[in-house]
Amino acid sequence: KSLELANQLRYAAFTALVYSDLAFISSRLKKFSKAIEYYKTCLELYKKTKARMDIVQTMRRFGTTYYFAGKLELADAMLSEAGHSADLMNLREDLVKTNHYLGLIAIGQESYLKAEDYLIRACRIQQNIINEMSDELRKIYLSNPARKRVFENTIAYYKKQKEPVPEEITDSYKQF
Protein backbone atom coordinates (compact mmCIF):
# COMPACT_ATOMS: atom_id res chain seq x y z
CA LYS A 1 0.00 0.00 0.00
CA SER A 2 2.81 2.41 0.83
CA LEU A 3 4.40 1.89 -2.56
CA GLU A 4 1.05 2.40 -4.27
CA LEU A 5 0.52 5.67 -2.39
CA ALA A 6 4.10 6.83 -3.08
CA ASN A 7 3.67 6.19 -6.79
CA GLN A 8 0.38 8.09 -6.81
CA LEU A 9 2.02 11.08 -5.12
CA ARG A 10 4.88 11.03 -7.62
CA TYR A 11 7.28 12.17 -4.90
CA ALA A 12 10.61 10.50 -5.67
CA ALA A 13 12.13 10.82 -2.18
CA PHE A 14 9.11 9.21 -0.52
CA THR A 15 9.00 6.46 -3.14
CA ALA A 16 12.73 5.85 -2.63
CA LEU A 17 12.18 5.56 1.12
CA VAL A 18 9.47 2.94 0.59
CA TYR A 19 11.79 0.96 -1.71
CA SER A 20 14.54 1.23 0.90
CA ASP A 21 12.23 -0.20 3.57
CA LEU A 22 11.15 -3.01 1.24
CA ALA A 23 14.80 -3.79 0.49
CA PHE A 24 15.69 -3.83 4.19
CA ILE A 25 12.82 -6.19 5.01
CA SER A 26 13.65 -8.44 2.05
CA SER A 27 17.28 -8.58 3.13
CA ARG A 28 16.30 -9.49 6.71
CA LEU A 29 14.16 -12.29 5.30
CA LYS A 30 17.22 -13.42 3.28
CA LYS A 31 15.43 -12.67 0.01
CA PHE A 32 18.56 -11.06 -1.37
CA SER A 33 17.56 -11.00 -5.05
CA LYS A 34 14.44 -9.05 -4.18
CA ALA A 35 16.36 -6.76 -1.82
CA ILE A 36 18.93 -6.02 -4.55
CA GLU A 37 16.13 -5.23 -6.99
CA TYR A 38 14.55 -2.83 -4.49
CA TYR A 39 17.88 -1.15 -3.68
CA LYS A 40 18.57 -0.60 -7.40
CA THR A 41 15.26 1.22 -7.77
CA CYS A 42 15.78 3.11 -4.53
CA LEU A 43 19.23 4.28 -5.59
CA GLU A 44 17.97 5.43 -9.01
CA LEU A 45 15.23 7.46 -7.32
CA TYR A 46 17.57 9.06 -4.78
CA LYS A 47 19.97 9.99 -7.59
CA LYS A 48 17.11 11.85 -9.28
CA THR A 49 16.50 13.83 -6.08
CA LYS A 50 20.24 14.47 -5.62
CA ALA A 51 19.85 13.63 -1.91
CA ARG A 52 23.54 12.94 -1.35
CA MET A 53 23.31 11.59 2.19
CA ASP A 54 20.47 9.24 1.24
CA ILE A 55 22.47 8.08 -1.78
CA VAL A 56 25.47 7.23 0.41
CA GLN A 57 23.37 5.39 2.98
CA THR A 58 21.51 3.46 0.28
CA MET A 59 24.79 2.48 -1.38
CA ARG A 60 26.08 1.28 2.00
CA ARG A 61 22.97 -0.79 2.65
CA PHE A 62 23.04 -2.06 -0.92
CA GLY A 63 26.68 -3.11 -0.52
CA THR A 64 25.92 -4.83 2.77
CA THR A 65 23.12 -6.76 1.07
CA TYR A 66 25.54 -7.86 -1.65
CA TYR A 67 27.89 -9.02 1.13
CA PHE A 68 25.23 -11.16 2.80
CA ALA A 69 24.20 -12.51 -0.61
CA GLY A 70 27.81 -13.69 -1.07
CA LYS A 71 28.52 -11.30 -3.93
CA LEU A 72 31.79 -10.02 -2.50
CA GLU A 73 33.10 -8.20 -5.59
CA LEU A 74 29.86 -6.26 -6.02
CA ALA A 75 29.76 -5.58 -2.28
CA ASP A 76 33.34 -4.32 -2.35
CA ALA A 77 32.66 -1.97 -5.28
CA MET A 78 29.45 -0.56 -3.80
CA LEU A 79 30.85 -0.14 -0.28
CA SER A 80 34.09 1.41 -1.58
CA GLU A 81 32.11 4.02 -3.47
CA ALA A 82 29.84 4.63 -0.47
CA GLY A 83 32.88 4.92 1.82
CA HIS A 84 34.59 7.40 -0.49
CA SER A 85 31.46 9.58 -0.60
CA ALA A 86 30.92 9.25 3.16
CA ASP A 87 34.50 10.39 3.71
CA LEU A 88 34.02 13.45 1.48
CA MET A 89 30.81 14.32 3.34
CA ASN A 90 32.24 13.47 6.79
CA LEU A 91 29.47 10.93 7.48
CA ARG A 92 31.43 9.18 10.19
CA GLU A 93 28.82 6.61 11.18
CA ASP A 94 28.61 5.51 7.54
CA LEU A 95 32.42 5.38 7.45
CA VAL A 96 32.43 3.02 10.43
CA LYS A 97 29.93 0.72 8.75
CA THR A 98 31.52 0.76 5.29
CA ASN A 99 35.02 0.12 6.67
CA HIS A 100 33.69 -2.66 8.90
CA TYR A 101 32.06 -4.49 6.00
CA LEU A 102 34.98 -3.81 3.65
CA GLY A 103 37.14 -5.49 6.30
CA LEU A 104 34.84 -8.51 6.41
CA ILE A 105 34.85 -8.67 2.61
CA ALA A 106 38.65 -8.55 2.57
CA ILE A 107 38.72 -11.47 5.03
CA GLY A 108 36.40 -13.39 2.68
CA GLN A 109 38.79 -12.62 -0.17
CA GLU A 110 41.78 -13.63 1.98
CA SER A 111 43.29 -10.12 1.74
CA TYR A 112 44.30 -10.02 5.39
CA LEU A 113 46.40 -6.86 5.43
CA LYS A 114 43.61 -4.99 3.69
CA ALA A 115 41.12 -6.47 6.17
CA GLU A 116 43.21 -5.33 9.12
CA ASP A 117 43.44 -1.81 7.71
CA TYR A 118 39.67 -1.52 7.22
CA LEU A 119 38.79 -3.03 10.60
CA ILE A 120 41.24 -0.84 12.52
CA ARG A 121 39.98 2.24 10.65
CA ALA A 122 36.36 1.36 11.56
CA CYS A 123 37.29 0.96 15.24
CA ARG A 124 39.24 4.23 15.34
CA ILE A 125 36.46 6.25 13.71
CA GLN A 126 33.89 4.73 16.04
CA GLN A 127 36.07 5.48 19.08
CA ASN A 128 36.42 9.11 17.94
CA ILE A 129 32.64 9.37 17.68
CA ILE A 130 32.25 7.92 21.18
CA ASN A 131 34.89 10.24 22.65
CA GLU A 132 32.97 13.31 21.46
CA MET A 133 29.68 12.31 23.13
CA SER A 134 28.17 13.32 26.41
CA ASP A 135 27.88 10.54 29.01
CA GLU A 136 24.14 10.19 28.43
CA LEU A 137 24.44 9.96 24.68
CA ARG A 138 27.40 7.58 24.98
CA LYS A 139 25.28 5.12 27.01
CA ILE A 140 22.61 5.09 24.32
CA TYR A 141 25.16 4.79 21.52
CA LEU A 142 26.98 1.89 23.18
CA SER A 143 23.74 -0.01 23.78
CA ASN A 144 23.47 -0.79 20.04
CA PRO A 145 24.85 -4.32 19.48
CA ALA A 146 26.00 -3.45 15.93
CA ARG A 147 28.51 -0.99 17.35
CA LYS A 148 29.96 -3.64 19.65
CA ARG A 149 30.16 -6.05 16.72
CA VAL A 150 32.68 -3.78 14.95
CA PHE A 151 35.13 -4.40 17.80
CA GLU A 152 34.19 -8.06 18.21
CA ASN A 153 34.85 -8.80 14.55
CA THR A 154 38.17 -6.96 14.72
CA ILE A 155 39.24 -8.91 17.81
CA ALA A 156 38.10 -12.17 16.18
CA TYR A 157 40.19 -11.32 13.12
CA TYR A 158 43.35 -10.92 15.22
CA LYS A 159 42.68 -14.11 17.16
CA LYS A 160 42.16 -16.06 13.95
CA GLN A 161 45.44 -14.68 12.63
CA LYS A 162 47.05 -15.65 15.97
CA GLU A 163 48.28 -12.10 16.39
CA PRO A 164 48.03 -9.91 19.48
CA VAL A 165 45.04 -7.59 19.50
CA PRO A 166 46.18 -3.94 19.51
CA GLU A 167 45.76 -2.35 22.91
CA GLU A 168 43.69 0.52 21.51
CA ILE A 169 41.11 -2.03 20.29
CA THR A 170 40.90 -3.96 23.58
CA ASP A 171 40.73 -0.70 25.56
CA SER A 172 37.90 0.57 23.36
CA TYR A 173 36.07 -2.76 23.56
CA LYS A 174 36.04 -2.64 27.38
CA GLN A 175 33.58 0.27 27.36
CA PHE A 176 30.86 -2.01 26.03
Side-chain angles (χ1 to χ4, degrees), residues 71-88:
K71 299 178 183 225
L72 298 186
E73 288 182 21
L74 292 170
D76 190 331
M78 187 66 72
L79 287 164
S80 293
E81 189 176 342
H84 177 72
S85 296
D87 193 25
L88 291 174

Side-chain angles (χ1 to χ4, degrees), residues 89-128:
M89 296 170 61
N90 197 31
L91 300 174
R92 294 184 309 164
E93 191 66 39
D94 285 298
L95 277 171
V96 169
K97 293 172 183 175
T98 55
N99 280 289
H100 177 223
Y101 278 101
L102 285 166
L104 296 178
I105 290 164
I107 290 169
Q109 295 172 329
E110 298 182 2
S111 293
Y112 298 113
L113 291 175
K114 193 173 168 185
E116 183 176 343
D117 182 51
Y118 282 127
L119 293 170
I120 291 291
R121 191 177 314 149
C123 289
R124 285 181 178 155
I125 296 167
Q126 184 163 294
Q127 188 57 51
N128 287 336

